[in-house]
Amino acid sequence: MNKMVKGAIATGVGVVLLVGGGGTLATWNQAQSASMGSVVSGDLNLEVNTATNSGKWTNAAGTVVDVKAYRVVPGDTLTYTQDLKMTLTGDLMAAKLSLTGAGANTGFTPASVVVSATALNDKSVTASAPSPISASTVLTPAVNGHLVTASTTFTFLASTSNRDSINQTYDFKSVGYKLEQQAPVSANAQ
Amino acid sequence: MHTPRALKAAGLVLAAVVLGLLTVQGTYALWNSAVNSNAGTVQAADFRVSLTDGPTNTTTDMTVNGLPATVALSTTPIGVVIPGQSVYAGVQLGNVTNAGGDFKIRATAGTPGITDSSGSGFASVLSVKAVAADTLAQCQSAALYAGAKNMASVDIAKNMTGVLCFQVTLDASAPGRLQGKSAGISIPLTVDQL
């Protein structure tokens, strides 16, 4: 055998030995799942609950009126009511419900009208005695799915004299509601 | 390109401010949800009362540009009034409103003012009675004024009309020297919402 053949055989033996060496690397091992599961986010939502009351004006007689066509006269009292549904989920969820915007008097003599502050009441607590919600009330997931009734009263005073405030308007278009999350105590700053 | 050092510094400060603002906004961004009330607009009604003169059917609003209007009532043409006789007039009032709810009014004819046109004393022998009626045609009936006084009122429902009739009587004892004289009679009408 010449040197070339001897070298080739030695190389082949070395390769075979290396292949055999793979088996010699197998030692004990064990795998374990972290069981971290999934992180699930909560929910915050505020919507008009059209199923119960999407918003309506009623006069003093309790008659539902179409405010686009209705014309008030001194002595009239109109009340606007609307049901809102709150969605609040999340273990550390906290939120506050507040009013946004306000009615704008665009012509009535100020002394001839009184407009109440919009009242928010959680009527899911006790239907017969709704629980008032103020701007400082902290809402938690305990009230998730509750219905809130918002009500505003417009009073055209009977004491209005002469022909004051005829053909005038009071605009409530900008009135709205906002449900806003409050940062948890442990909130990050990011 | 050669950028001045001051310009670089300004750019750096601007970038820092922008980043700082974005960071501040980020810390306040929490969940929120808002809805509009769609409450619309409350509108006041008009307050219009129309006046219609009986014989001529002339109609005018009780107020024009917010000021009281005057309607000249035509008397029933019965010829020359002689002592002891009467002439009649009437006005129909319409509650012309676009009020959404109930809107009832009361029209009242106040104390008549009778004035001589020439200081003759003719006014002193004239008297006026007022009474409410359903139609202007009833104003000519003398029987309507039985027991009537010089003031009267009528209630008018929304979009309905009411009538006030007047009887002007020349006293039976009026002296002959008052022949051909004239007097002016003014009757104030006021309307109140009930």
Side-chain angles (χ1 to χ4, degrees):
Chain A
M1 272 194 289
N2 62 26
K3 285 183 180 176
M4 286 292 286
V5 173
K6 287 179 181 174
I9 292 172
T11 301
V13 170
V15 170
V16 169
L17 285 173
L18 280 176
V19 171
T24 60
L25 291 179
T27 58
W28 282 351
N29 66 74
Q30 186 181 21
Q32 187 63 265
S33 171
S35 299
M36 293 179 69
S38 303
V39 174
V40 181
S41 62
D43 192 6
L44 177 149
N45 197 18
L46 180 69
E47 57 194 336
V48 175
N49 196 57
T50 55
T52 53
N53 181 1
S54 59
K56 63 185 178 185
W57 284 97
T58 53
N59 64 11
T63 305
V64 176
V65 302
D66 177 5
V67 77
K68 291 178 184 172
Y70 194 89
R71 299 293 183 272
V72 293
V73 299
D76 246 328
T77 299
L78 294 184
T79 301
Y80 186 74
T81 59
Q82 188 171 41
D83 284 350
L84 307 169
K85 185 178 182 180
M86 299 184 294
T87 300
L88 284 172
T89 59
D91 288 64
L92 294 182
M93 174 57 76
K96 290 181 179 178
L97 181 61
S98 60
L99 295 167
T100 59
N105 185 353
T106 52
F108 280 87
T109 303
S112 69
V113 295
V114 173
V115 178
S116 73
T118 299
L120 299 170
N121 288 288
D122 185 342
K123 72 175 190 178
S124 295
V125 178
T126 306
S128 58
S131 174
I133 296 175
S134 70
S136 61
T137 302
V138 176
L139 305 167
T140 67
V143 296
N144 178 45
H146 281 202
L147 295 182
V148 174
T149 297
S151 60
T152 307
T153 300
F154 176 93
T155 304
F156 196 177
L157 298 175
S159 58
T160 303
S161 59
N162 301 320
R163 302 176 76 235
D164 281 358
S165 301
I166 62 166
N167 294 322
Q168 298 303 320
T169 59
Y170 205 110
D171 190 351
F172 289 92
K173 289 176 184 169
S174 65
V175 175
Y177 322 97
K178 186 177 186 181
L179 185 61
E180 195 166 23
Q181 184 194 353
Q182 302 300 299
V185 176
S186 58
N188 57 60
Q190 296 175 349
Chain B
M1 198 171 97
H2 201 71
T3 307
R5 187 171 290 178
L7 190 58
K8 288 180 180 174
L12 189 63
V13 170
L14 181 62
V17 169
V18 170
L19 284 172
L21 288 174
L22 288 175
T23 304
V24 170
Q25 285 180 344
T27 57
Y28 282 100
L30 293 169
W31 280 349
N32 65 78
S33 177
V35 292
N36 189 275
S37 66
N38 291 320
T41 301
V42 173
Q43 301 171 81
D46 197 359
F47 183 19
R48 281 185 56 209
V49 177
S50 66
L51 303 177
T52 303
D53 172 16
T56 65
N57 276 328
T58 303
T59 298
T60 183
D61 271 7
M62 194 169 174
T63 55
V64 178
N65 294 327
L67 299 173
T70 300
V71 58
L73 300 182
S74 305
T75 55
T76 307
I78 59 171
V80 176
V81 180
I82 60 175
Q85 287 194 342
S86 302
V87 292
Y88 304 95
V91 60
Q92 177 176 278
L93 299 100
N95 182 1
V96 187
T97 182
N98 57 357
D102 292 334
F103 188 69
K104 197 173 186 179
I105 60 174
R106 174 169 294 163
T108 302
T111 304
I114 308 175
T115 54
D116 287 323
S117 57
S118 57
S120 62
F122 188 53
S124 62
V125 293
L126 291 174
S127 62
V128 178
K129 286 182 177 180
V131 68
D134 296 325
T135 65
L136 283 167
Q138 293 176 324
C139 293
Q140 300 175 43
S141 170
L144 184 69
Y145 301 90
K149 298 181 179 179
N150 64 347
M151 297 172 64
S153 64
V154 59
D155 292 352
I156 309 170
K158 186 168 81 171
N159 295 323
M160 300 299 285
T161 59
V163 173
L164 288 171
C165 295
F166 306 101
Q167 179 190 51
V168 182
T169 304
L170 178 60
D171 195 293
S173 62
R177 62 180 174 78
L178 295 178
Q179 290 182 54
K181 303 298 182 184
S182 62
I185 301 174
S186 175
I187 302 173
L189 296 175
T190 57
V191 175
D192 297 302
Q193 179 190 352
L194 295 179

